Amino acid sequence: MRIPEKRGGFPGNMEDRMKKSIAVLASGRGSNFQAVIDAILAGKIPARCTALITDNPQAYAIERAKKAGIPVRIVDYTGFPTREHYEQALLFAMQEVDADLYVLAGYMRILGTSIIHTFSGKIMNIHPALLPSFTGLHAQRQALNYGVKVSGCTVHFVDESLDCGPIILQRCVTVLDGDDEDLLAERILKHEHECLPEAIRLFCEEKLVTDGRTVRIA
């Protein structure tokens, strides 16, 4: 399903078309997606958002995209007989969008090898922990259970390992006495909303240089 593009926050003039294009993959409420939209509209990211791709037809991120005039592609995971069929459809959707950068902002599925190879160096993810610690789901809960004193968020490039790609940016959050999973997640999320747009900006300005596992800011 594709919702037609609307005019509004993302005009189609020549200057806009010369900017790098980004597409966002999200599965849920899309608060990080909204942070990216807001940063683009404020002129903080020199890019245009050309699509939201979601595996969840009920995701609130769809409403955010519609309000911003961003086309939506729904690749509903439940509509495919196998994961392989879903991955093929997702790969096709991403190829059709043909973005310079694909941003995973609360996308709750692991990307297949074919997608990662096709878009090597062009997929970015935000994770609510200081990687390489606490990969996967419920990172905030893992951090609390381990008893760490500092947590945070990480933006990284995506490779074949779960949450283990080259790190672009990190932000630290102090773990307070009395924190539960929700309280810690809320404080980390505020930093996610700053960290992800900043990493996207650096990419779009071609200031990220990857050397093995090290990402340097030029």
Side-chain angles (χ1 to χ4, degrees), residues 155-170:
V155 183
H156 65 96
F157 285 116
V158 174
D159 63 12
E160 293 184 36
S161 302
L162 177 63
D163 296 328
C164 290
I167 291 171
I168 301 168
L169 293 176
Q170 292 183 302

Side-chain angles (χ1 to χ4, degrees), residues 43-124:
K44 296 179 180 178
I45 299 176
R48 51 196 176 91
C49 186
T50 57
L52 167 72
I53 303 174
T54 181
D55 60 321
N56 176 14
Q58 305 303 319
Y60 186 70
I62 295 171
E63 297 303 315
R64 298 182 189 274
K66 290 168 66 176
K67 291 178 181 177
I70 298 171
V72 177
R73 290 175 180 261
I74 299 175
V75 187
D76 186 354
Y77 183 84
T78 63
F80 297 89
T82 66
R83 177 180 172 182
E84 288 72 24
H85 285 86
Y86 170 77
E87 289 285 343
Q88 290 174 4
L90 179 60
L91 174 59
F92 180 73
M94 294 173 70
Q95 287 174 324
E96 276 202 325
V97 168
D98 192 27
D100 295 302
L101 176 67
Y102 298 87
V103 179
L104 308 185
Y107 178 71
M108 301 307 292
R109 300 193 183 279
I110 298 173
L111 294 179
T113 301
S114 61
I115 292 176
I116 293 172
H117 285 176
T118 300
F119 302 106
S120 178
K122 297 174 62 176
I123 307 176
M124 187 180 290

Side-chain angles (χ1 to χ4, degrees), residues 145-207:
N145 289 341
Y146 204 83
V148 298
K149 304 304 180 184
V150 176
S151 187
C153 60
T154 303
V155 183
H156 65 96
F157 285 116
V158 174
D159 63 12
E160 293 184 36
S161 302
L162 177 63
D163 296 328
C164 290
I167 291 171
I168 301 168
L169 293 176
Q170 292 183 302
R171 296 289 185 271
C172 294
V173 174
T174 301
V175 178
L176 304 177
D177 292 339
D179 265 346
D180 60 19
E181 186 176 356
D182 290 338
L183 288 172
L184 181 57
E186 182 179 354
R187 291 207 312 283
I188 292 174
L189 188 60
K190 294 178 182 179
H191 289 268
E192 292 180 46
H193 292 169
E194 298 173 355
C195 201
L196 182 58
E198 175 66 7
I200 295 171
R201 178 187 70 80
L202 292 170
F203 179 93
C204 292
E205 293 179 350
E206 299 184 351
K207 292 183 177 179

